[in-house]
Amino acid sequence: MTRPPLPRLPDGESQTIAIEGDQRGPSPELSDEALKLIEAEKQPAAAIQVAEQLMDPHPEVRKLAKSLRAEQFGNAQRPGIRSPNVRPRLDVSVYPSSVDRALRIMDTLLKAFDARGWSVEVDEEGKHSTSTLVLDERVFFFLDEKTARSDHTPTPEEKREAKEFTWRAPPKWDFKPSGLLRLQIGDASYMGIRTLWAGGEKRR
């Protein structure tokens, strides 16, 4: 198949297209303090292991456990997803079957941050509400569960209604919990660093 030629530009207009790279310049070099911290976190003793049971939960996790409720206005693509119904609150959105695991993950993280001397703040407002302070840099993070999507098979009732009411079409997709929890750093993808860690339902 032959592509049609592009239309001729009006006289006087340039036919040159300039493609420019990232104008932000190179990322600043890491400080000696940051390099030492990175090396320390690479040591086996620094590994963070999620507990198998929730024991003596962090105060913020205790609040989270009491406030996780189904989202007030619902979401057709995330039916039954739970998130805290109060503010300030930890930034968590998971399905009921993953609540226990989410609590254990957040409890382990907050206790690990405390042990490192990294303060944790839970804000009233903002896109993300949970952050920790590392080397004077505030890092926002959140935990959510991915939703699994599959083709929807119309039921006999849906087929009947679609014939009777032409404007009422069956949904195209079915949505359900995936069991895949994702810990993410907010608003940091532009830095070229890893910002997402995910674990399936068989992982602790």
Side-chain angles (χ1 to χ4, degrees):
M1 179 177 174
T2 303
R3 294 184 179 180
L6 294 174
R8 179 183 177 84
L9 289 173
D11 293 338
E13 290 193 17
S14 172
Q15 299 190 45
T16 301
I17 300 175
I19 302 177
E20 299 180 352
D22 192 336
Q23 300 300 305
R24 291 190 302 252
S27 301
E29 294 184 2
L30 295 175
S31 65
D32 290 341
E33 190 177 8
L35 291 173
K36 289 179 181 178
L37 179 59
I38 292 172
E39 286 303 314
E41 290 298 324
K42 289 180 179 179
Q43 302 306 310
I48 299 175
Q49 298 291 335
V50 178
E52 295 186 10
Q53 292 184 340
L54 187 63
M55 303 289 289
D56 189 23
H58 188 283
E60 291 295 343
V61 173
R62 193 176 294 114
K63 294 178 187 177
L64 176 66
K66 294 179 179 179
S67 64
L68 276 175
R69 300 287 185 274
E71 291 189 352
Q72 182 178 0
F73 299 105
N75 185 327
Q77 296 187 2
R78 306 189 78 186
I81 197 77
R82 300 279 182 97
S83 59
N85 63 349
V86 296
R87 281 186 177 270
R89 55 159 175 76
L90 292 177
D91 206 344
V92 174
S93 295
V94 296
Y95 289 95
S97 58
S98 298
V99 166
D100 176 71
R101 190 152 49 99
L103 293 174
R104 288 186 285 117
I105 290 173
M106 292 302 288
D107 187 59
T108 300
L109 279 177
L110 298 192
K111 288 176 178 176
F113 294 162
D114 286 347
R116 289 160 169 76
W118 302 347
S119 63
V120 174
E121 290 193 7
V122 184
D123 300 334
E124 288 275 1
E125 304 294 339
K127 178 181 178 181
H128 300 301
S129 61
T130 310
S131 63
T132 185
L133 191 65
V134 183
L135 300 181
D136 297 324
E137 184 77 22
R138 186 149 299 283
V139 180
F140 287 88
F141 62 96
F142 58 98
L143 181 69
D144 78 342
E145 180 173 353
K146 184 178 180 180
T147 301
R149 188 183 76 175
S150 59
D151 293 334
H152 175 74
T153 301
T155 64
E157 179 67 14
E158 288 173 334
K159 292 179 179 179
R160 184 190 65 77
E161 290 183 349
K163 288 183 178 180
E164 185 175 352
F165 308 101
T166 55
W167 49 268
R168 184 180 295 179
K172 185 176 181 180
W173 311 105
D174 286 329
F175 299 93
K176 65 179 182 179
S178 69
L180 182 68
L181 300 189
R182 304 176 294 185
L183 176 66
Q184 301 185 62
I185 297 177
D187 302 326
S189 58
Y190 71 93
M191 297 177 67
I193 61 175
R194 183 179 181 183
T195 60
L196 186 150
W197 293 259
E201 58 185 356
K202 294 183 180 179
R203 299 185 184 182
R204 293 193 175 95

